[in-house]
Amino acid sequence: MISLQIQIAIGTAISVAVRVLGLAVLAGAVTGTIAAGYRLYARETMPARLGVLVGLSAVAVWLNTVVALSQYVAPGTDPLALPVVLRNVLAFAASAGAADVGRRVGDRLAANSSVLTGARSVEGEVSPLVKAVGRVITVTLPATIGDVSGYEPVPEGTKEELAGATFVFPRGLTVAELRDRLETRLADDHGIGHVDCEIGTDGTVRNLSVGLRASGLGPRLAPDTSAVAIRADPAPGASPGDTVQLWHAGERVSTGELRDSTEEIATLALESGETPLESGEYRLVTLGVGTGAERSVRTLFRSVAREREVDASLAGTCVADWDGVVLAIEGARFEALPDSDRRLEKGEVVYALDQAATV
């Protein structure tokens, strides 16, 4: 009689152990699958508490289904009986541990998915993760912000506001992703069109240059000069910067500078009063070197000069106090190469070079 009871107890224990083990495997498999999908989608590890919750949810669904079916298959079964309660508690405890293990395994398998698929190389550039202490990445902009060549400069007030500013981003980003997030943030919050920055693996911004938009042809035109597109076919050896004569119907219309050309369309920089209005095809005659020296110098100064409006802090200062070479001052009239003792007035626009060596 005693041996029979022992056999029954052993059988019951084995049955409970098998059921608990099966539920633990179920929790681990479900959590591992969800953790792998979470890793592939969010590119970060699933939180431990969320993994345990997912595993226990799968076990709870299974046990509720079993209890619901037992009401019809075995009507006399009491779900609140002590053996049933102890078995369920053991199942939940084992499933919680198995869920955490499954979360770790699924995350590792998803992270090494390229190895599982037999890939021997990774296409494109692999960007390292940004090293961060804590749950966020803190990015501090440098104190000096430069201008991007070929783009309209950002106002000095905006650059002063951004100098030394701190931005916070979530951790787990690669260097490339952090750079994209920073560019998007500057574009949305400050209206900056182009950002050129260098970010280290520790999240430090080593170099930052900004610009509003790509500068077009207008800023590179000399005063009293207009750009016009005409239907013409320049000489095969002609290139942007050459001085050309514009002919139409056997008469010379104007002399200008070739800026760009395609198969049938040429863009010329001409004096504003000599812009052609006749329709039809024109002929271009390329002139020798030296005929457009004055135009070239004016265009060069226009393209490299830095434009700044005189505010209250600069009003009353002399040209000699300016940090750079002052080319011209535009106020009530346009004044080129002003005297060193010329005082600036509020509202005037100063065209200057940061370094004379630029020319």
Side-chain angles (χ1 to χ4, degrees), residues 136-153:
V136 296
I137 301 174
T138 303
V139 176
T140 302
L141 302 184
T144 303
I145 301 177
D147 296 325
V148 181
S149 177
Y151 287 80
E152 293 183 3

Side-chain angles (χ1 to χ4, degrees), residues 77-88:
T77 303
D78 185 9
L80 299 180
L82 182 59
V84 176
V85 172
L86 292 177
R87 183 181 61 193
N88 293 341

Side-chain angles (χ1 to χ4, degrees), residues 59-358:
V59 174
V61 171
W62 175 268
L63 292 178
N64 287 336
T65 303
V66 171
V67 171
L69 292 177
S70 63
Q71 299 297 326
Y72 299 96
V73 177
T77 303
D78 185 9
L80 299 180
L82 182 59
V84 176
V85 172
L86 292 177
R87 183 181 61 193
N88 293 341
V89 170
L90 290 176
F92 278 112
S95 299
D100 187 65
V101 174
R103 178 186 65 86
R104 297 174 184 270
V105 173
D107 180 78
R108 180 63 59 87
L109 292 178
N112 299 330
S113 59
S114 59
V115 177
L116 295 178
T117 56
R120 298 184 180 181
S121 62
V122 178
E123 295 182 359
E125 181 182 356
V126 178
S127 180
L129 289 174
V130 178
K131 300 177 182 179
V133 179
R135 301 184 63 85
V136 296
I137 301 174
T138 303
V139 176
T140 302
L141 302 184
T144 303
I145 301 177
D147 296 325
V148 181
S149 177
Y151 287 80
E152 293 183 3
V154 174
E156 293 294 333
T158 303
K159 291 196 291 186
E160 292 176 0
E161 180 183 354
L162 291 176
T166 301
F167 296 90
V168 178
F169 300 96
R171 64 174 303 176
L173 300 176
T174 63
V175 174
E177 292 172 343
L178 180 60
R179 185 184 300 108
D180 293 340
R181 292 283 188 97
L182 179 61
E183 293 177 359
T184 303
R185 186 76 171 273
L186 294 178
D188 295 341
D189 296 349
H190 301 278
I192 295 177
H194 185 77
V195 179
D196 184 8
C197 62
E198 181 181 354
I199 302 179
T201 55
D202 57 349
T204 302
V205 181
R206 302 171 184 172
N207 184 26
L208 177 63
S209 300
V210 294
L212 290 180
R213 62 178 183 178
S215 57
L217 183 59
R220 293 177 172 83
L221 292 176
D224 300 327
T225 303
S226 302
V228 59
I230 60 174
R231 187 176 301 277
D233 186 13
S239 61
D242 288 344
T243 302
V244 295
Q245 287 183 347
L246 183 63
W247 291 74
H248 181 68
E251 297 182 359
R252 188 177 68 86
V253 178
S254 177
T255 301
E257 180 183 340
L258 180 64
R259 289 306 183 93
D260 196 6
S261 63
T262 60
E263 295 180 357
E264 298 180 354
I265 304 298
T267 302
L268 304 180
L270 305 174
E271 297 295 336
S272 298
E274 300 180 356
T275 303
L277 300 177
E278 298 291 338
S279 60
E281 186 174 356
Y282 291 79
R283 294 181 60 86
L284 300 180
V285 177
T286 304
L287 301 181
V289 179
T291 56
E294 180 182 357
R295 185 189 305 275
S296 300
V297 171
R298 288 190 300 172
T299 303
L300 178 60
F301 277 175
R302 187 74 174 181
S303 62
V304 300
R306 178 167 59 90
E307 178 182 343
R308 183 172 181 182
E309 183 177 354
V310 179
D311 53 14
S313 61
L314 297 176
T317 59
C318 296
V319 172
D321 300 331
W322 191 270
D323 185 14
V325 179
V326 177
L327 299 178
I329 299 176
E330 184 178 1
R333 61 186 181 88
F334 189 86
E335 184 178 352
L337 298 177
D339 297 333
S340 59
D341 57 351
R342 164 73 156 79
R343 293 189 177 275
L344 304 178
E345 298 180 2
K346 185 177 181 181
E348 292 181 329
V349 178
V350 178
Y351 299 92
L353 297 178
D354 290 334
Q355 296 179 353
T358 306

